[in-house]
PDB file of all heavy atoms in Angstrom:
ATOM      1  N   GLY M 237      -9.601  -0.572  -4.424  1.00  0.00           N
ATOM      2  CA  GLY M 237     -10.663   0.349  -4.643  1.00  0.00           C
ATOM      3  C   GLY M 237     -11.929  -0.399  -4.815  1.00  0.00           C
ATOM      4  O   GLY M 237     -11.935  -1.712  -4.999  1.00  0.00           O
ATOM      5  N   GLU M 238     -13.009   0.434  -4.996  1.00  0.00           N
ATOM      6  CA  GLU M 238     -14.319  -0.149  -5.354  1.00  0.00           C
ATOM      7  C   GLU M 238     -14.284  -1.131  -6.525  1.00  0.00           C
ATOM      8  O   GLU M 238     -13.806  -0.648  -7.562  1.00  0.00           O
ATOM      9  CB  GLU M 238     -15.390   0.832  -5.575  1.00  0.00           C
ATOM     10  CG  GLU M 238     -16.828   0.339  -5.834  1.00  0.00           C
ATOM     11  CD  GLU M 238     -17.819   1.402  -5.908  1.00  0.00           C
ATOM     12  OE1 GLU M 238     -17.414   2.639  -6.023  1.00  0.00           O
ATOM     13  OE2 GLU M 238     -18.977   1.151  -6.033  1.00  0.00           O
ATOM     14  N   GLY M 239     -14.856  -2.364  -6.423  1.00  0.00           N
ATOM     15  CA  GLY M 239     -14.782  -3.293  -7.568  1.00  0.00           C
ATOM     16  C   GLY M 239     -13.557  -4.116  -7.503  1.00  0.00           C
ATOM     17  O   GLY M 239     -13.446  -5.001  -8.372  1.00  0.00           O
ATOM     18  N   GLY M 240     -12.582  -3.680  -6.798  1.00  0.00           N
ATOM     19  CA  GLY M 240     -11.334  -4.476  -6.732  1.00  0.00           C
ATOM     20  C   GLY M 240     -11.506  -5.986  -6.234  1.00  0.00           C
ATOM     21  O   GLY M 240     -12.324  -6.142  -5.509  1.00  0.00           O
ATOM     22  N   ARG M 241     -10.608  -6.880  -6.735  1.00  0.00           N
ATOM     23  CA  ARG M 241     -10.958  -8.212  -6.459  1.00  0.00           C
ATOM     24  C   ARG M 241      -9.714  -8.898  -5.669  1.00  0.00           C
ATOM     25  O   ARG M 241      -8.639  -8.653  -5.975  1.00  0.00           O
ATOM     26  CB  ARG M 241     -11.115  -8.996  -7.685  1.00  0.00           C
ATOM     27  CG  ARG M 241     -12.540  -8.581  -8.455  1.00  0.00           C
ATOM     28  CD  ARG M 241     -12.582  -9.125  -9.785  1.00  0.00           C
ATOM     29  NE  ARG M 241     -13.879  -8.763 -10.496  1.00  0.00           N
ATOM     30  CZ  ARG M 241     -14.890  -9.663 -10.536  1.00  0.00           C
ATOM     31  NH1 ARG M 241     -14.839 -10.903 -10.035  1.00  0.00           N
ATOM     32  NH2 ARG M 241     -15.952  -9.262 -11.177  1.00  0.00           N
ATOM     33  N   LEU M 242     -10.060  -9.790  -4.687  1.00  0.00           N
ATOM     34  CA  LEU M 242      -9.161 -10.373  -3.871  1.00  0.00           C
ATOM     35  C   LEU M 242      -9.351 -11.898  -3.923  1.00  0.00           C
ATOM     36  O   LEU M 242     -10.411 -12.370  -3.824  1.00  0.00           O
ATOM     37  CB  LEU M 242      -9.376  -9.996  -2.499  1.00  0.00           C
ATOM     38  CG  LEU M 242      -8.487 -10.758  -1.371  1.00  0.00           C
ATOM     39  CD1 LEU M 242      -7.117 -10.338  -1.549  1.00  0.00           C
ATOM     40  CD2 LEU M 242      -8.950 -10.390   0.049  1.00  0.00           C
ATOM     41  N   ALA M 243      -8.341 -12.625  -4.227  1.00  0.00           N
ATOM     42  CA  ALA M 243      -8.337 -14.148  -4.454  1.00  0.00           C
ATOM     43  C   ALA M 243      -7.184 -14.685  -3.566  1.00  0.00           C
ATOM     44  O   ALA M 243      -5.991 -14.381  -3.760  1.00  0.00           O
ATOM     45  CB  ALA M 243      -8.245 -14.520  -5.814  1.00  0.00           C
ATOM     46  N   VAL M 244      -7.576 -15.556  -2.602  1.00  0.00           N
ATOM     47  CA  VAL M 244      -6.568 -16.108  -1.659  1.00  0.00           C
ATOM     48  C   VAL M 244      -6.699 -17.627  -1.655  1.00  0.00           C
ATOM     49  O   VAL M 244      -7.732 -18.231  -1.424  1.00  0.00           O
ATOM     50  CB  VAL M 244      -6.866 -15.671  -0.261  1.00  0.00           C
ATOM     51  CG1 VAL M 244      -5.705 -16.129   0.807  1.00  0.00           C
ATOM     52  CG2 VAL M 244      -6.772 -14.128  -0.146  1.00  0.00           C
ATOM     53  N   VAL M 245      -5.481 -18.265  -2.018  1.00  0.00           N
ATOM     54  CA  VAL M 245      -5.433 -19.670  -1.963  1.00  0.00           C
ATOM     55  C   VAL M 245      -4.651 -20.058  -0.679  1.00  0.00           C
ATOM     56  O   VAL M 245      -3.539 -19.592  -0.383  1.00  0.00           O
ATOM     57  CB  VAL M 245      -4.734 -20.215  -3.267  1.00  0.00           C
ATOM     58  CG1 VAL M 245      -4.695 -21.785  -3.089  1.00  0.00           C
ATOM     59  CG2 VAL M 245      -5.566 -19.880  -4.403  1.00  0.00           C
ATOM     60  N   SER M 246      -5.297 -20.992   0.116  1.00  0.00           N
ATOM     61  CA  SER M 246      -4.549 -21.524   1.325  1.00  0.00           C
ATOM     62  C   SER M 246      -4.387 -23.051   1.208  1.00  0.00           C
ATOM     63  O   SER M 246      -5.169 -23.622   0.423  1.00  0.00           O
ATOM     64  CB  SER M 246      -5.301 -21.036   2.605  1.00  0.00           C
ATOM     65  OG  SER M 246      -6.559 -21.564   2.574  1.00  0.00           O
ATOM     66  N   PHE M 247      -3.627 -23.579   2.180  1.00  0.00           N
ATOM     67  CA  PHE M 247      -3.310 -24.987   2.037  1.00  0.00           C
ATOM     68  C   PHE M 247      -3.493 -25.783   3.177  1.00  0.00           C
ATOM     69  O   PHE M 247      -3.323 -27.094   3.274  1.00  0.00           O
ATOM     70  CB  PHE M 247      -1.950 -25.262   1.364  1.00  0.00           C
ATOM     71  CG  PHE M 247      -1.820 -25.014  -0.116  1.00  0.00           C
ATOM     72  CD1 PHE M 247      -1.425 -23.698  -0.480  1.00  0.00           C
ATOM     73  CD2 PHE M 247      -1.959 -25.935  -1.077  1.00  0.00           C
ATOM     74  CE1 PHE M 247      -1.373 -23.379  -1.873  1.00  0.00           C
ATOM     75  CE2 PHE M 247      -1.891 -25.628  -2.412  1.00  0.00           C
ATOM     76  CZ  PHE M 247      -1.696 -24.453  -2.799  1.00  0.00           C
ATOM     77  N   HIS M 248      -3.927 -25.222   4.251  1.00  0.00           N
ATOM     78  CA  HIS M 248      -4.197 -25.898   5.494  1.00  0.00           C
ATOM     79  C   HIS M 248      -5.275 -25.074   6.344  1.00  0.00           C
ATOM     80  O   HIS M 248      -5.469 -23.977   6.062  1.00  0.00           O
ATOM     81  CB  HIS M 248      -2.996 -26.472   6.331  1.00  0.00           C
ATOM     82  CG  HIS M 248      -2.138 -25.370   6.682  1.00  0.00           C
ATOM     83  ND1 HIS M 248      -2.474 -24.425   7.718  1.00  0.00           N
ATOM     84  CD2 HIS M 248      -0.876 -24.848   6.321  1.00  0.00           C
ATOM     85  CE1 HIS M 248      -1.452 -23.519   7.937  1.00  0.00           C
ATOM     86  NE2 HIS M 248      -0.529 -23.826   7.065  1.00  0.00           N
ATOM     87  N   SER M 249      -5.795 -25.855   7.330  1.00  0.00           N
ATOM     88  CA  SER M 249      -6.856 -25.196   8.131  1.00  0.00           C
ATOM     89  C   SER M 249      -6.527 -23.965   8.864  1.00  0.00           C
ATOM     90  O   SER M 249      -7.386 -23.067   8.869  1.00  0.00           O
ATOM     91  CB  SER M 249      -7.490 -26.278   9.044  1.00  0.00           C
ATOM     92  OG  SER M 249      -6.520 -26.648  10.003  1.00  0.00           O
ATOM     93  N   LEU M 250      -5.356 -23.864   9.245  1.00  0.00           N
ATOM     94  CA  LEU M 250      -4.859 -22.637  10.072  1.00  0.00           C
ATOM     95  C   LEU M 250      -5.023 -21.411   9.235  1.00  0.00           C
ATOM     96  O   LEU M 250      -5.485 -20.354   9.595  1.00  0.00           O
ATOM     97  CB  LEU M 250      -3.404 -22.748  10.552  1.00  0.00           C
ATOM     98  CG  LEU M 250      -3.337 -23.862  11.641  1.00  0.00           C
ATOM     99  CD1 LEU M 250      -1.833 -23.971  11.983  1.00  0.00           C
ATOM    100  CD2 LEU M 250      -4.128 -23.597  12.888  1.00  0.00           C
ATOM    101  N   GLU M 251      -4.477 -21.533   7.984  1.00  0.00           N
ATOM    102  CA  GLU M 251      -4.509 -20.349   6.951  1.00  0.00           C
ATOM    103  C   GLU M 251      -5.876 -20.105   6.592  1.00  0.00           C
ATOM    104  O   GLU M 251      -6.420 -18.957   6.643  1.00  0.00           O
ATOM    105  CB  GLU M 251      -3.777 -20.680   5.729  1.00  0.00           C
ATOM    106  CG  GLU M 251      -2.149 -20.939   5.873  1.00  0.00           C
ATOM    107  CD  GLU M 251      -1.541 -21.540   4.792  1.00  0.00           C
ATOM    108  OE1 GLU M 251      -2.267 -22.090   3.914  1.00  0.00           O
ATOM    109  OE2 GLU M 251      -0.257 -21.611   4.665  1.00  0.00           O
TER     110      GLU M 251
END
Side-chain angles (χ1 to χ4, degrees):
E238 182 179 6
R241 294 167 177 260
L242 173 68
V244 184
V245 177
S246 58
F247 286 87
H248 57 72
S249 60
L250 295 176
E251 296 167 345

